[in-house]
Structures are given as C-alpha cells and as structure tokens.
C-alpha cells in the first residue's frame, strides 16, 4: 500500500502487459499533474493563504490575510499585527509565511518583518544602503523598521509594480 501512495508503481517479475500499462499511465498522469502545479506556481496562480486561526486567551478567532498589516518575529515567536493594531501570536515562521502569502501584497523586508504594502506610511532614506519605514499601525516598542540592504533593489521593484 505504501508503494501505491508514494511511488509510481512496484512491478514484480514476471511483468504483465496490464500492470506495465497501468504503471506507465500513472507516470504520465503524475507528470501532467506536476507540470500543471509548477505552471500555476510560475504564473502566480498558486493558492495563497487567505486566513489564520489565532488564539487570544481561551478564545480563537479568524484573521483574514486582507486585514493583516505585517508579521514580525520576536524572541523566537511570530506575531500578526492587524490593520487595526491588534497583535496575535502564530505557530508559523516568517520563512513559512513568505512561501504562502501573496507576493504582490506582502514583502519580507528583513529577517524580522513581512509587511503588506498598505501598511507603509512613509519611506525615508537613512543612507545609500538603508531605508527606514514608518508602518501603520506602528510596530511594537516603537522599533526602527528598516529594509535590509540585500532587499533594497527588490523592495523598490516590488513597490513599483
């Protein structure tokens, strides 16, 4: 049974025409599905995460991606900050989030933040290699939010279009 789920097939000698034909058909079916999956990924049609289940106290709520201003990491925890300033811890790393969020809306500006474009209030050049962002709502502890030097070019392209 495990071979049927995780491999193309397992053929034993003597191989019958029927079992070989079934295996070849399964191979082409899997190949076609994989090709379609990769085509969707590269064309931006890959399904993105639309909501998060968050806990606050003994209650749970659903936070829709459209309501999120930014994600940030602090002391090995990841938090959601909503557009209205509410903060919730989540059990997902920023790296995992980066792969599931719509890239036209969210951008990882540094190792601590993934931001929504609508959360940017102002952008200020601090130097040739550093941009400071004022976010709406403001980040926790009035923290200075900057774009990592290696992300500046892609960040500016992301903003432009």
């Amino acid at each position: 049974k495990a071979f049927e789920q995780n491999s193309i097939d397992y053929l034993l000698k003597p191989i019958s025409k029927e079992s070989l034909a079934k295996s070849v058909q399964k191979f082409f079916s899997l190949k076609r599905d994989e090709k379609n999956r990769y085509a969707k990924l590269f064309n931006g049609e890959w399904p993105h995460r639309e909501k998060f289940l968050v806990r606050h106290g003994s209650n749970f709520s659903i936070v829709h991606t459209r309501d999120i201003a930014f994600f940030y990491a602090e002391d090995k925890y990841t938090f959601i900050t909503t557009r209205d300033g509410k903060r919730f811890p989540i059990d997902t790393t920023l790296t995992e989030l980066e792969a599931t969020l719509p890239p036209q809306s969210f951008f990882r500006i540094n190792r601590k933040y993934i931001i929504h474009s609508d959360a940017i209030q102002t952008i200020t050049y601090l130097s040739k290699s550093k941009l400071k962002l004022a976010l709406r709502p403001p980040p926790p502890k009035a923290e200075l939010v900057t774009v990592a030097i290696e992300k500046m070019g892609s960040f500016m392209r992301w903003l432009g279009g």
Side-chain angles (χ1 to χ4, degrees), residues 46-54 63-66 68 71 80 90-93 96-103 106:
W46 196 257
H48 298 290
R49 194 153 179 187
E50 296 178 9
K51 59 189 170 195
F52 293 83
L53 183 65
V54 297
V63 176
H64 292 273
T65 304
R66 66 179 176 266
I68 297 172
F71 299 86
I80 289 175
I90 56 172
D91 291 328
T92 309
T93 68
E96 293 167 341
L97 286 169
E98 203 173 4
T100 62
L101 294 169
F106 289 92

Side-chain angles (χ1 to χ4, degrees), residues 14-90:
I15 300 172
S16 70
K17 286 182 179 182
E18 294 83 25
S19 62
L20 180 59
K22 181 181 168 191
S23 297
V24 170
Q25 183 178 13
K26 185 175 179 183
F27 168 76
F28 284 114
S29 173
L30 291 172
K31 187 175 177 183
R32 183 179 56 252
D33 291 346
E34 184 175 302
K35 186 177 178 183
N36 289 339
R37 190 167 48 241
Y38 286 123
K40 285 183 179 182
L41 175 64
F42 290 119
N43 291 331
E45 299 170 19
W46 196 257
H48 298 290
R49 194 153 179 187
E50 296 178 9
K51 59 189 170 195
F52 293 83
L53 183 65
V54 297
R55 184 177 181 168
H56 46 99
S58 59
N59 299 317
F60 290 90
S61 296
I62 293 174
V63 176
H64 292 273
T65 304
R66 66 179 176 266
D67 298 326
I68 297 172
F70 57 87
F71 299 86
Y72 69 96
E74 183 179 280
D75 299 325
K76 299 185 180 184
Y77 294 101
T78 305
F79 296 88
I80 289 175
T81 300
T82 61
R83 292 174 192 251
D84 60 1
K86 295 177 185 169
R87 290 178 168 79
F88 303 100
I90 56 172

Side-chain angles (χ1 to χ4, degrees), residues 69-72 87 107-116 119-126 130-148 155:
F70 57 87
F71 299 86
Y72 69 96
R87 290 178 168 79
F107 188 88
R108 185 164 186 178
I109 58 167
N110 58 36
R111 62 185 179 86
K112 287 186 69 174
Y113 282 88
I114 296 176
I115 63 166
H116 192 286
I120 301 170
Q121 189 170 10
T122 61
I123 303 171
T124 308
Y125 271 105
L126 294 181
K130 197 174 250 186
L131 292 174
K132 178 181 95 169
L133 303 181
L135 300 178
R136 179 181 51 242
K141 302 175 189 173
E143 180 177 52
L144 180 67
V145 179
T146 59
V147 178
F155 176 71

